Amino acid sequence: MVRCRRLASFSQDSHGTRRTFLSPPMHRVHQEIAGWMEPLGANVRIDAAGNLRGLYPALEASGPRLLVGSHLDTVPNAGAYDGILGVVLAVALLEGLGGRKLPYAVEVVGFSDEEGVRFGTPFIGSRALVGRLDEDLLGNVDVEGVSVRKAIEEFGLKPAEIESAAVEDNVYGYIEFHIEQGPVLERLGLPLAVVDTIAGQSRMEVTFVGHANHAGTTPMDLRSDAIAGAAEWITAVESIGQAVAGLVATVGAIRAEPGVANVIAGKATLSLDVRHAADEHRLRAVQHFRDQAEQIALRRRLSAHWKTLLNQPAVAMDPFLSHQIEAAIGKTGSKPHRMVSGAGHDAMVLAEKIPAAMIFLRTPGGISHDPKEAVAVEDIAKAIECGLHLLDQLTLSTRLQARMPGA
Ligand SMILES: [Zn+2]
């Protein structure tokens, strides 16, 4: 926890923590973590996408490799644990080995960007590991007109070497510890959970169009009020969301035009975010929301317009690694709860190429992306204990035996 708070002090802002993709304070973070890992015998480098990579070698150089990590960037006015804790815990696991080498190497990864704050596109770091940090993405610019490519160069790295950041064939898995960022484990009274699935996500922009008119002279029965239609639809979205198990549906933004007190709104544009672990349930809900919008619009003499911005399928975590995590949590004396992650994580991207799994830590008050973000020291102890059991279990696993040289 002390280490997490120290890393939180390396910030672009004098008050509060903000550390976006390859911003100057990221140098300090890299130096600090390298300073913890090198005395343990790890070789630390920064890859061309700005990811910190610390390789703790295997007993024999030809052994396979396990990745353990999370992200080092933050949102503005961040807490001290989102992402960073997963990297600090990975270092703690190496310390917990007490100099013991395993039949496989452990590579600690601190991703340069997961939040997507600087370029509006998340997962720049992990995309490099799966070979998807492409020309398109390198050309994205931040608010100051600096491209991803330029940011990499300004940090002292070479975009031409990005290919060498990709995971090699000897990597057999990725494990990520992360705070839950929600209230579920706290409500259950449990310190840890294994993540089954990272929920799929749909994002839409929905616009109700009516007629702007005078708020004083237009009788109530002769109006085509876009805001009133939007309001009815928002509560319908909420009711449907409450009625379907595992579904979350959110209207987070509304913009009215002309947006003044004495004019009936002619137009209301809303955001819609829909998530579920099962893609069919998510897509069915989205269709239901759309039907509702059309029915409400028809009845109110409005028109409803629908634009899909994102349609991202759910990502299942690796069943073998998840089962191993469950067993490791059990060994710490806690009940191994299984849950869905409603938020996206680096593990979701890594899962495209290698078996990936996640462990959640209870988040007091469910608070995250806020300086009040916290974690209990007892829960961190449980996470380290679980992680060390996991490393030993993997040593004995058939999955690992199959990846050993000569197997
Ligand atoms: Zn995170």
Side-chain angles (χ1 to χ4, degrees), residues 205-342:
E205 185 183 87
V206 185
T207 306
F208 288 90
V209 179
H211 296 291
N213 211 336
H214 198 293
T217 61
T218 315
M220 293 306 287
D221 61 337
L222 295 177
R223 297 179 174 209
S224 300
D225 185 336
I227 283 192
E232 187 182 342
W233 181 72
I234 291 168
T235 55
V237 167
E238 188 189 36
S239 307
I240 296 163
Q242 286 163 344
V244 179
L247 182 71
V248 285
T250 309
V251 176
I254 177 163
R255 189 175 72 244
E257 292 173 48
V260 290
N262 59 352
V263 180
I264 299 158
K267 199 170 169 186
T269 305
L270 300 92
S271 66
L272 174 64
D273 178 303
V274 184
R275 305 185 195 207
H276 197 283
D279 292 335
E280 56 185 282
H281 287 295
R282 174 174 52 88
L283 296 172
R284 198 181 307 145
V286 168
Q287 187 57 48
H288 197 165
F289 296 141
R290 187 171 185 165
D291 294 344
Q292 287 287 312
E294 275 159 15
Q295 285 168 25
I296 290 165
L298 192 68
R299 184 159 30 78
R300 289 174 167 271
R301 294 185 298 273
L302 305 166
S303 58
H305 307 267
W306 197 264
K307 194 158 98 188
T308 301
L309 304 176
L310 179 73
N311 179 9
Q312 180 180 281
V315 176
M317 294 289 95
D318 181 66
F320 170 80
L321 289 177
S322 298
H323 181 73
Q324 292 293 326
I325 290 169
E326 229 173 1
I329 294 174
K331 285 178 189 164
T332 70
S334 293
K335 184 170 160 271
H337 180 64
R338 275 185 176 254
M339 63 183 291
V340 171
S341 173

Side-chain angles (χ1 to χ4, degrees), residues 71 82-83 114-115 178:
H71 60 97
D82 174 5
E114 187 269 352
E115 302 284 2
H178 202 286

Side-chain angles (χ1 to χ4, degrees), residues 81-137:
Y81 302 100
D82 174 5
I84 286 83
L85 177 65
V87 184
V88 169
L89 277 173
V91 177
L93 292 184
L94 297 188
E95 282 174 334
L97 289 174
R100 190 159 59 93
K101 294 270 168 39
L102 301 169
Y104 55 92
V106 178
E107 186 173 16
V108 176
V109 188
F111 291 107
S112 54
D113 172 277
E114 187 269 352
E115 302 284 2
V117 170
R118 181 166 177 189
F119 292 97
T121 313
F123 306 117
I124 298 175
S126 48
R127 282 174 63 155
L129 268 75
V130 299
R132 278 207 296 122
L133 210 184
D134 51 20
E135 285 302 320
D136 264 9
L137 184 50

Side-chain angles (χ1 to χ4, degrees), residues 2 14 80 90 144 176 184 215 265 285 311 401:
V2 169
S14 49
E144 279 154 13
E176 180 169 357
V184 173
N311 179 9
Q401 299 310 325

Side-chain angles (χ1 to χ4, degrees), residues 70-75 81-84 114-115 176-179 181 343-346 358 368-369 373:
S70 192
H71 60 97
L72 294 173
D73 66 321
T74 76
V75 294
Y81 302 100
D82 174 5
I84 286 83
E114 187 269 352
E115 302 284 2
E176 180 169 357
F177 288 88
H178 202 286
I179 55 170
Q181 303 178 284
H345 292 290
D346 294 302
M358 286 193 82
S368 182
H369 286 189
E373 191 177 87

